[in-house]
């Protein structure tokens, strides 16, 4: 299989994308302050690409089910022209695409030991492999002033609070591994710079692989950790035990606030029996076991919540036989640990995914995949806004990426559909209706 085979869409891509309804507002460093409503004088979208990285490479042309968990699909969409480059890469569990600033992209796996670096045309430049007993944790960070990028790794089979993850430090120019550093916690996942400081902050899932019914994840030390940006030494932790959930994704505002989301599920005691039946039982016995497992999960959820469920069970949850626990969007002051907890409703905040932040509008965005919502919050405001995926014309909303210097962000669906959305005008300004192969996150590449 030629893993560098790509699909180039030329000028016809404009027809797919550029139903440009207007332009994104720019900051004072930009030239334009054109209102999106001023269609007569509206400029084109900012230059750059939106990067999606999907895990279902076996669905790509030329592949089949035997390639499941072996191929991930990188998609780069030029926002202005709508041209798309889409490439299957020989790695499983593609999670995020990290643009390093010169056209190269670090394609990071999750729960796997192999990641890949490609150039702007998606040609493979290097293969990165985690050490024995560790796997990649999903995200990375570029530190241009140090000339390095950082990747997160978790311990492969954590059983105690001492089974810490690590950070790998790579040279930006040579792609050579420089160092590995203890993360100070269980499964570091997403790491960011804290603006105006010499500090970094990361999420730690904080779970161990020891069963803890009825919860899917046994969270023993879930937290945010702050580091010295130069030495990567731990400076302080902000533990979040009361939520009983993994701290997964996060972003940081210009005012040094970290917004984060969490993940936890409730399972029934017969889930394992249902899985066993599916491997060898009759159609009737499989269906009955599946139904019983879902009923038990629902009963367990009611006990955890202390009241009857107030939301429809998401289709994904019914298929997976685990019901997501409704969980808040949380803002933490990275200097003091003070918190604001945001929960609009249980139905709106099921199974979180990505967190974005737009500086121009000072808006944090939390994605809730099983609710098909984005929760929008501006520091200083009591109430959050709920943006439904249907309002922007897509379904299975999963990823968000800021478009720096503008009031726009990109949103991507897990399977089909990507839009650019103007937070200032509350309008969709472009659409890119391609297939994204169960993409998990979205990122911005400044070099188109």
């Amino acid at each position: 299989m030629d893993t560098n085979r790509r699909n180039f869409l030329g000028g016809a891509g404009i027809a797919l994308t550029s139903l440009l309804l207007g332009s994104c507002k720019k900051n004072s460093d930009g030239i334009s302050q054109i209102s999106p409503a001023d269609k007569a004088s509206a400029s084109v979208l900012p230059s750059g690409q939106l990067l999606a990285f999907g895990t279902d490479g076996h669905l790509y042309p030329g592949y089949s089910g035997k390639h499941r968990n072996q191929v991930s699909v990188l998609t780069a969409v030029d926002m202005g022209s709508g041209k798309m480059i889409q490439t299957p890469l020989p790695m499983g569990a593609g999670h995020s695409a990290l643009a390093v600033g010169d056209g190269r992209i670090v394609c990071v796996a999750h729960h796997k030991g192999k990641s890949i670096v490609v150039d702007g045309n998606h040609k493979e430049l290097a293969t990165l492999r985690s050490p024995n007993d560790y796997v990649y944790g999903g995200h990375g960070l570029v530190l241009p002033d140090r000339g390095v990028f950082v990747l997160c790794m978790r311990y492969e089979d954590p059983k105690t609070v001492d089974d810490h993850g690590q950070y790998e430090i790579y040279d930006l120019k040579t792609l050579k591994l420089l160092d590995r550093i203890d993360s100070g916690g269980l499964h570091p996942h997403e790491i960011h710079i804290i603006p105006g400081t010499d500090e970094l902050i990361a999420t730690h899932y904080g779970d161990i692989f020891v069963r803890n019914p009825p919860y899917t994840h046994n969270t023993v030390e879930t937290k945010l950790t702050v580091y010295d940006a130069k030495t990567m030494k731990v400076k302080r932790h902000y533990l979040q035990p009361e939520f009983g959930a993994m701290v997964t994704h996060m972003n940081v505002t210009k005012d040094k606030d970290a917004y984060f989301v969490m993940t936890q599920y409730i399972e029934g005691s017969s889930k394992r029996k249902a899985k066993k039946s599916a491997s060898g039982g009759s159609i009737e016995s499989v269906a009955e076991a599946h139904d019983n497992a879902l009923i038990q999960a629902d009963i367990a959820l009611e006990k955890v919540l202390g009241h009857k469920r107030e939301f429809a069970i998401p289709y994904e949850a019914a298929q997976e036989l685990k019901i997501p626990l409704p969980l808040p969007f949380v803002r933490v002051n990275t200097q003091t640990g003070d918190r604001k907890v945001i929960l609009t409703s249980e139905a709106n905040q099921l199974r979180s995914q990505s967190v974005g932040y737009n500086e121009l509008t000072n808006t944090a965005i939390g994605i809730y995949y099983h609710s098909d919502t984005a929760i929008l919050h501006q520091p200083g405001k009591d109430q959050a806004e709920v943006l439904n995926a249907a309002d922007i014309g897509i379904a299975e909303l999963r990823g968000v990426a800021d478009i720096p210097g503008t009031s726009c962000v990109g949103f991507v669906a897990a399977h089909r559909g990507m839009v650019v959305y103007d937070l200032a005008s509350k309008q969709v300004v472009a659409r890119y209706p391609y297939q994204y192969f169960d993409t998990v996150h979205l990122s911005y590449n400044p070099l188109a």
Side-chain angles (χ1 to χ4, degrees):
M1 182 65 62
D2 179 7
T3 57
N4 283 320
R5 184 162 52 86
R6 293 178 293 277
N7 178 21
F8 291 89
L9 294 187
I14 298 176
L16 290 173
T17 77
S18 295
L19 303 172
L20 291 182
L21 305 180
S23 66
C24 307
K25 289 183 179 178
K26 299 180 181 179
N27 64 17
S28 57
D29 295 328
I31 299 172
S32 175
Q33 283 290 341
I34 298 172
S35 166
D38 187 3
K39 299 177 184 178
S41 58
S43 63
V44 297
L45 286 164
S47 63
Q49 295 175 330
L50 290 174
L51 304 176
F53 197 28
T55 63
D56 284 348
H58 63 286
L59 302 180
Y60 193 86
Y63 293 85
S64 69
K66 68 182 181 181
H67 299 103
R68 180 181 287 275
N69 297 322
Q70 298 176 21
V71 181
S72 300
V73 179
L74 176 64
T75 305
V77 178
D78 181 275
M79 286 187 291
S81 70
K83 293 179 181 179
M84 179 264 282
I85 306 174
Q86 195 164 69
T87 310
L89 297 176
M91 56 174 284
H95 192 75
S96 64
L98 176 68
V100 302
D102 58 3
R104 292 177 299 166
I105 302 166
V106 183
C107 301
V108 188
H110 190 39
H111 305 311
K112 294 284 186 179
K114 178 182 178 181
S115 295
I116 292 176
V117 184
V118 299
D119 66 12
N121 290 316
H122 300 182
K123 179 181 178 181
E124 296 171 36
L125 300 176
T127 296
L128 312 179
R129 295 192 182 275
S130 61
N132 291 338
D133 298 327
Y134 288 86
V135 290
Y136 288 109
H139 291 264
L141 175 68
V142 179
L143 298 174
D145 58 325
R146 290 181 53 190
V148 301
F149 66 88
V150 180
L151 295 184
C152 299
M153 296 190 301
R154 69 165 176 84
Y155 191 69
E156 190 170 18
D157 187 25
K159 293 296 177 61
T160 76
V161 293
D162 297 321
D163 291 333
H164 287 182
Q166 293 187 354
Y167 296 115
E168 285 191 330
I169 315 298
Y170 286 90
D171 184 274
L172 263 176
K173 290 183 179 179
T174 66
L175 304 178
K176 298 297 184 183
L177 177 66
L178 301 177
D179 203 357
R180 292 192 178 108
I181 299 171
D182 189 298
S183 75
L186 292 164
H187 191 157
H189 187 71
E190 185 162 12
I191 183 167
H192 285 275
I193 296 167
I194 302 177
T197 74
D198 61 353
E199 295 178 333
L200 309 175
I201 186 168
T203 58
H204 276 106
Y205 273 23
D207 65 323
I208 56 174
F209 293 0
V210 178
R211 295 192 67 231
N212 183 34
Y215 299 97
T216 298
H217 302 289
N218 188 346
T219 56
V220 295
E221 196 177 69
T222 184
K223 62 188 178 183
L224 302 177
T225 300
V226 178
Y227 306 88
D228 182 283
K230 291 184 173 59
T231 65
M232 297 291 291
K233 291 187 180 298
V234 172
K235 295 183 70 172
R236 55 191 179 276
H237 300 288
Y238 296 126
L239 297 173
Q240 312 292 327
E242 58 269 52
F243 299 109
M246 302 184 301
V247 175
T248 54
H249 296 101
M250 170 199 62
N251 220 305
V252 185
T253 75
K254 62 183 179 181
D255 299 317
K256 308 179 184 63
D257 289 328
Y259 279 81
F260 70 84
V261 293
M262 295 169 285
T263 299
Q264 181 63 281
Y265 300 92
I266 303 299
E267 298 179 4
S269 59
S270 62
K271 179 181 176 181
R272 292 185 172 214
K273 180 180 178 181
K275 285 189 172 182
K276 186 176 181 180
S277 296
S279 65
S282 66
I283 294 176
E284 293 79 10
S285 65
V286 169
E288 182 179 2
H290 187 283
D291 289 345
N292 287 337
L294 194 58
I295 290 169
Q296 289 186 14
D298 209 7
I299 293 170
L301 176 69
E302 182 177 335
K303 291 179 180 178
V304 171
L305 293 176
H307 59 80
K308 287 190 177 296
R309 173 171 49 83
E310 298 174 350
F311 54 89
I313 295 177
Y315 290 106
E316 300 90 341
Q319 183 177 11
E320 296 171 353
L321 296 178
K322 54 186 186 181
I323 304 176
L325 194 66
L327 289 164
F329 194 23
V330 183
R331 186 187 74 208
V332 171
N333 183 311
T334 62
Q335 306 306 298
T336 67
D338 293 341
R339 290 190 317 205
K340 178 178 178 61
V341 177
I342 303 162
L343 184 63
T344 59
S345 78
E346 291 183 354
N348 286 335
Q349 295 181 222
L350 300 172
R351 177 48 171 98
S352 69
Q353 189 65 71
S354 309
V355 179
Y357 172 68
N358 179 261
E359 182 175 343
L360 186 62
T361 62
N362 200 23
T363 304
I365 304 113
I367 303 297
Y368 286 82
Y369 176 41
H370 284 187
S371 295
D372 227 6
T373 59
I375 305 301
L376 313 181
H377 187 257
Q378 295 174 314
K381 291 189 176 181
D382 291 333
Q383 301 299 317
E385 176 188 351
V386 180
L387 178 67
N388 291 293
D391 296 337
I392 57 176
I394 60 177
E396 299 179 310
L397 180 60
R398 204 158 191 197
V400 59
D402 182 43
I403 302 172
T406 77
S407 56
C408 285
V409 296
F411 286 119
V412 70
H415 299 106
R416 186 179 294 278
M418 180 193 295
V419 303
V420 174
Y421 181 75
D422 191 331
L423 292 164
S425 69
K426 302 188 185 306
Q427 294 185 36
V428 172
V429 298
R431 295 187 181 279
Y432 313 101
Y434 303 118
Q435 182 169 335
Y436 296 104
F437 298 92
D438 198 19
T439 198
V440 182
H441 294 288
L442 189 66
S443 55
Y444 171 73
N445 186 356
L447 298 179

